[in-house]
């Protein structure tokens, strides 16, 4: 874990929201700076990665921060069934975590569970969501703004192709309208 904020997000699976609530309760109780979606909405993994990279590249030099680096957590079962849900940790590189990091997380979580979570500090969600360390963050605007730097939206628009969008209830559901509005 780094000493900067954690960008915290969730996908649309049924157990993601309760797991995000639990995560925020623990993170806030431990004084961790947390960035949560300003509308309490869903956040695709690439959006969390983008937020981490953007934050870590900000400030002081063209190469970015030397300390106070952000990392992230996406609450998701990923491509697994809901009962296999979990947390996807993204390090300061934007992510995915390597096997050393995920192994440490797994061992630590199992040790905490074996000890009936006695060492886990937690505060009620109402307090955690209002904690000085919990910050509302606009994930959509910066992501949509920067999308044009990696995808040639003018070429797509100029090609005259018709594109249908169906996010299938996925975490990107709120991102399509702003993308269309911005890039046509």
């Amino acid at each position: 874990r780094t000493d900067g904020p954690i960008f915290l997000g969730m996908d649309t699976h049924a157990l993601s929201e309760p797991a995000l609530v639990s995560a925020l309760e623990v993170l806030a109780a431990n004084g961790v700076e947390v960035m949560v979606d300003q509308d309490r909405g869903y956040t695709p993994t690439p959006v969390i990665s983008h937020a981490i990279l953007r934050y870590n590249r900000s400030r002081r030099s063209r190469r970015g921060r030397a300390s106070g680096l952000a990392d992230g957590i996406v609450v998701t079962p990923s491509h697994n069934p809901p009962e296999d849900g979990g947390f996807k940790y993204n390090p300061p590189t934007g992510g995915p975590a390597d096997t050393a990091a995920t192994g440490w997380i797994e061992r630590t979580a199992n040790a905490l569970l074996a000890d009936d979570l006695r060492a886990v500090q937690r505060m009620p969600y109402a307090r955690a969501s209002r904690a000085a360390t919990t910050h509302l963050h606009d994930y959509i605007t910066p992501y949509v703004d920067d999308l044009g730097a990696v995808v040639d939206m003018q070429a797509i628009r100029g090609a005259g192709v018709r594109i249908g969008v169906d996010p299938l209830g996925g975490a990107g559901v709120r991102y399509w309208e702003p993308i269309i509005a911005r890039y046509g």
Side-chain angles (χ1 to χ4, degrees), residues 151-159 183:
V151 176
D152 190 342
M153 296 297 202
Q154 290 181 348
I156 295 169
R157 184 177 53 243
Y183 297 105

Side-chain angles (χ1 to χ4, degrees), residues 48-121:
I48 296 297
S49 296
H50 173 264
I52 293 166
L53 293 174
R54 193 173 217 250
Y55 181 88
N56 289 343
R57 287 185 184 141
S58 66
R59 307 267 162 69
R60 296 198 180 93
S61 76
R62 284 188 289 151
R63 291 188 306 148
R65 297 172 178 272
S67 64
L69 296 173
D71 51 1
I73 298 171
V74 182
V75 180
T76 177
S78 190
H79 300 288
N80 299 317
E83 64 270 12
D84 293 336
F87 288 18
K88 187 185 298 182
Y89 172 70
N90 282 16
T93 59
D98 62 20
T99 55
T102 56
W104 180 88
I105 292 167
E106 180 182 4
R107 287 187 302 278
T108 303
N110 286 333
L112 290 167
L113 288 169
D115 193 37
D116 293 323
L117 303 175
R118 283 189 264 273
V120 177
Q121 295 179 35

Side-chain angles (χ1 to χ4, degrees), residues 66 68 145:
D145 287 350

